Amino acid sequence: MEIPKKISAILIANRGEIALRIIRACRHMSIKSIAVYSDEDQNSLHVKFADECYHIGAAPPSESYLNIDKIIETAKKVGADAIHPGYGFLSENEGFAERCEKENIIFIGPTSKAMELTGDKMKCKVIMKDAKVPTVPGSDGTVENVQEAINISAEAGYPVLLKSAFGGGGRGIRMASDEKQLKQEFEMASEESRAAFGKSALFIEKNLEDIRHIEFQLLLDSHGNGRHLFERECSIQRRHQKLVEFTPSPVVDSRIREEVGEIAVRAAQAVNYLNAGTAEFLRDKQGKFYFIEINSRLQVEHPVTELVTGLDLVKLQIQIAQGEEINFRQEELKMQGAAIECRINAEDPFLEFAPSVGLVPDCNLPYGPGIRVDSYLYPGCTVSGYYDSLIAKLISWGRDFEEARVREREALKEFRIEGISTTIPLFKTILDEQNFLQGRLSTDYLERYGLIQKMIDAAEKETRKNADAAVAAFLMHSEFNQDSKLKEANSYSPRSSSGWTGLTLDRKRRS
Ligand code: MV4
């Protein structure tokens, strides 16, 4: 067998918080970290933190972080023997992994062949059925024509979903409640799939209702070892973007964890998966788990798993990539406590999550027992509109869910980011919401329980409280300054913006 080569320098083909996360792992392993950056990221923290940094192009991702030729050329020129793709950008691009393989650069992730299989949901599903991994009832591969679609749907039972084999993040999914609708949707879905992915490759699944998204973290090495690192509950999402992730899931006990975890490892082994990955499941209200896909990357929410296992997933990725064997048995892994992550995005949750970019003149990150912040923010930094809106991950750990929840909530209150809008107000509302507390979650959690309205109500209440405090302070002050101008000002506001009447103000003044 080939003698495994120790990695000495890693080029990080990414930016933001995940680039920093990877740089830290490099430092812990005495590996040289090499950052690349676009015009927009000249002053970004990953550039300042890395051992070396190289400019790779203009701000648009296609000219920098997605520019395969430029990244490979840089890696070779500067002597990087491995590339870590992070998440997003080139992380799930099998062509990029293949290019690395050809150029003799270690791609820190699965093989291009495994990525091709995990990227093709339909091929993947057929393999899973053969491996006795439970999948959603529906077609065994692509559905070529309307008649076939009708037959399969009748067997699976309506409503059904038409899914594109090359979709992702909810793209290319349509629902049909009956045969008539199926006929219409099938034509439109074929068209859409052809426009988006160049080919019409549709499959059909029974539509599962009232579902949770629960995923299992996986690690597989080149010696044939496969482990699962337990589950993450990711049901709280908006438009297929996860907002809050935590572990353990309130609907997973140790028996289910063991059972579904083993299925997840089997799923990964069926596609010869290597390195860190995630098996995604949908859980229906009967409590049945259905495999939907394997994500062939390190995920945004990986810290939640790190906090309850004590493992360093990026370090493990690097060790596996350089041929090392996983040095713990499944039975040795113990889930310790609970962890919660909120993805803080530079978006305005009061304005339908419109991106909010620009200078952050000042900020304060929270600290304290059980608090971890993965972020690229610093006072005076700039949030770019060219890239995704994730600016910080706030992760808490507690001995149980309640302790983690309180720590997370209080840390959210400490978090201050000036100059831009963020999703923090929404998280404050979620972290105190009854259904969240009770673990009553589903992929439509936000709409089902009116979380946006609850956030707006809370903000209005807060504004009112602040206005009252301001008026009270003003009046308090005016008592010691009984000049006519101030008295006049008081009489002009019989009702403050907060709804306080003059009468209530008077009562307050007397007390
Ligand atoms: C489903 C489904 C219901 N039934 N498949 C959306 C994205 C893709 N990863 C899978 N998705 C879904 N597939 C069947 N057969 C519902 C969803 C779905 C969803 C899944 C996970 C997390 C959030 C979601 C939000 C809406 C729909």
Side-chain angles (χ1 to χ4, degrees):
M1 210 182 114
E2 202 182 323
I3 297 164
K5 183 175 139 217
K6 284 269 178 210
I7 293 170
S8 64
I10 297 175
L11 182 147
I12 298 138
N14 216 303
R15 62 182 301 282
E17 65 85 18
I18 195 62
L20 291 169
R21 172 70 189 86
I22 299 161
I23 292 168
R24 290 193 174 111
C26 289
R27 291 208 188 295
H28 298 161
M29 298 174 78
S30 303
I31 291 171
K32 189 199 281 179
S33 57
I34 302 169
V36 293
Y37 64 98
S38 69
D39 285 350
E40 194 80 347
D41 277 326
Q42 311 244 8
N43 297 313
S44 289
L45 217 48
H46 77 283
V47 174
K48 299 180 206 279
F49 272 23
D51 293 330
E52 291 178 12
C53 57
Y54 297 92
H55 178 253
I56 52 166
S62 59
E63 292 176 46
S64 45
Y65 301 106
L66 288 174
N67 187 340
I68 294 179
D69 286 333
K70 185 72 185 176
I71 289 168
I72 296 281
E73 178 200 308
T74 306
K76 291 174 81 166
K77 194 176 71 191
V78 306
D81 42 20
I83 295 181
H84 197 306
Y87 52 72
F89 294 125
L90 295 169
S91 61
E92 290 177 280
N93 183 320
E94 75 239 31
F96 179 63
E98 197 177 356
R99 187 70 192 279
C100 290
E101 288 159 8
K102 280 211 186 85
E103 306 276 358
N104 243 330
I105 299 166
I106 296 171
F107 176 82
I108 302 174
T111 62
S112 60
K113 191 82 196 65
M115 284 168 76
E116 191 198 319
L117 286 178
T118 55
D120 187 331
K121 289 188 196 133
M122 205 181 46
K123 258 193 210 166
C124 193
K125 197 176 170 185
V126 174
I127 294 169
M128 294 312 160
K129 277 184 102 167
D130 289 343
K132 302 265 182 291
V133 171
T135 55
V136 187
S139 61
D140 285 323
T142 46
V143 178
E144 303 300 332
N145 57 60
V146 186
Q147 191 52 50
E148 202 185 327
I150 291 170
N151 297 342
I152 289 159
S153 301
E155 199 185 320
Y158 288 95
V160 294
L161 294 180
L162 293 169
K163 293 187 174 186
S164 167
F166 301 98
R171 287 174 310 150
I173 297 185
R174 289 162 171 277
M175 191 166 75
S177 304
D178 52 38
E179 194 175 307
K180 181 165 166 280
Q181 209 179 359
L182 177 70
K183 285 178 184 166
Q184 294 168 358
E185 295 291 331
F186 189 84
E187 293 305 331
M188 289 203 282
S190 305
E191 274 306 307
E192 205 175 77
S193 172
R194 216 170 289 125
F197 315 112
K199 40 190 159 181
S200 166
L202 295 173
F203 64 105
I204 289 180
E205 280 182 1
K206 182 178 176 54
N207 181 43
L208 303 172
E209 282 156 282
D210 200 2
I211 51 172
R212 287 173 189 254
H213 173 140
I214 297 172
E215 59 187 28
F216 277 76
Q217 177 66 52
L218 299 169
L219 273 182
L220 294 97
D221 68 20
S222 55
H223 303 266
N225 301 300
R227 306 282 183 266
H228 72 85
L229 275 54
F230 316 125
E231 81 283 4
R232 292 185 289 254
E233 167 70 65
C234 304
S235 298
I236 301 183
Q237 311 203 351
R238 179 183 176 275
R239 304 210 176 148
H240 305 290
Q241 295 292 322
K242 293 171 189 153
L243 295 172
V244 181
E245 306 99 345
F246 62 93
T247 190
S249 165
V251 294
V252 177
D253 61 19
S254 56
R255 187 186 60 82
I256 297 169
R257 183 168 299 128
E258 196 173 314
E259 186 188 319
V260 184
E262 274 170 25
I263 290 170
V265 172
R266 188 142 42 84
Q269 284 169 338
V271 291
N272 286 317
Y273 197 86
L274 187 65
N275 217 308
T278 299
E280 265 187 45
F281 293 86
L282 298 182
R283 177 198 180 271
D284 68 11
K285 58 174 175 280
Q286 279 83 256
K288 205 167 152 33
F289 282 77
Y290 302 91
F291 169 90
I292 44 170
E293 62 181 296
I294 291 182
N295 294 312
S296 64
R297 60 171 190 279
L298 180 73
Q299 289 196 268
V300 174
E301 59 271 27
H302 77 274
V304 155
T305 299
E306 294 188 319
L307 294 190
V308 296
T309 58
L311 296 171
D312 180 331
L313 279 169
V314 181
K315 191 171 178 178
L316 282 159
Q317 280 192 301
I318 296 168
Q319 288 170 332
I320 289 172
Q322 60 188 10
E324 290 178 46
E325 194 169 351
I326 295 172
N327 66 358
F328 52 85
R329 284 174 291 123
Q330 187 67 53
E331 314 79 68
E332 286 177 290
L333 280 176
K334 247 188 67 113
M335 188 185 235
Q336 290 247 33
I340 307 173
E341 171 179 281
C342 290
R343 293 192 189 188
I344 296 168
N345 285 347
E347 295 169 354
D348 190 340
F350 296 97
L351 286 175
E352 286 178 35
F353 296 81
S356 176
V357 300
L359 180 70
V360 176
D362 202 4
C363 59
N364 273 108
L365 308 190
Y367 305 91
I371 292 298
R372 166 172 167 184
V373 182
D374 281 18
S375 175
Y376 69 95
L377 291 176
Y378 65 85
C381 75
T382 302
V383 174
S384 169
Y386 279 100
Y387 314 111
D388 85 23
S389 58
L390 184 80
I391 52 172
K393 303 190 296 203
L394 174 61
I395 314 110
S396 67
W397 181 89
R399 284 165 301 172
D400 54 24
F401 179 78
E402 183 58 13
E403 189 173 51
R405 183 186 72 85
V406 170
R407 284 174 170 174
E408 182 80 9
R409 183 191 64 197
E410 296 308 311
L412 281 165
K413 292 179 191 165
E414 276 181 43
F415 219 131
R416 193 172 57 88
I417 302 171
E418 287 182 358
I420 56 170
S421 300
T422 76
T423 47
I424 288 175
L426 177 60
F427 294 128
K428 286 183 188 166
T429 303
I430 294 173
L431 269 280
D432 259 335
E433 200 271 331
Q434 275 310 308
N435 296 289
F436 177 75
L437 265 65
Q438 302 301 318
R440 278 194 292 273
L441 304 173
S442 51
T443 52
D444 63 351
Y445 167 79
L446 286 195
E447 303 93 54
R448 179 182 288 203
Y449 302 115
L451 262 291
I452 302 296
Q453 193 56 50
K454 283 178 176 154
M455 172 188 70
I456 292 168
D457 294 346
E460 271 171 6
K461 206 169 140 193
E462 183 69 17
T463 306
R464 225 177 296 136
K465 207 176 82 190
N466 290 339
D468 290 345
V471 171
F474 174 79
L475 292 175
M476 191 72 94
H477 184 68
S478 70
E479 279 196 304
F480 299 102
N481 297 279
Q482 294 289 330
D483 64 83
S484 59
K485 264 219 172 92
L486 283 167
K487 276 185 181 161
E488 207 179 308
N490 287 343
S491 67
Y492 274 139
S493 52
R495 178 175 276 275
S496 77
S497 64
S498 64
W500 270 57
T501 62
L503 191 72
T504 16
L505 287 174
D506 279 348
R507 189 147 31 94
K508 181 128 187 180
R509 285 175 73 180
R510 263 184 262 112
S511 62

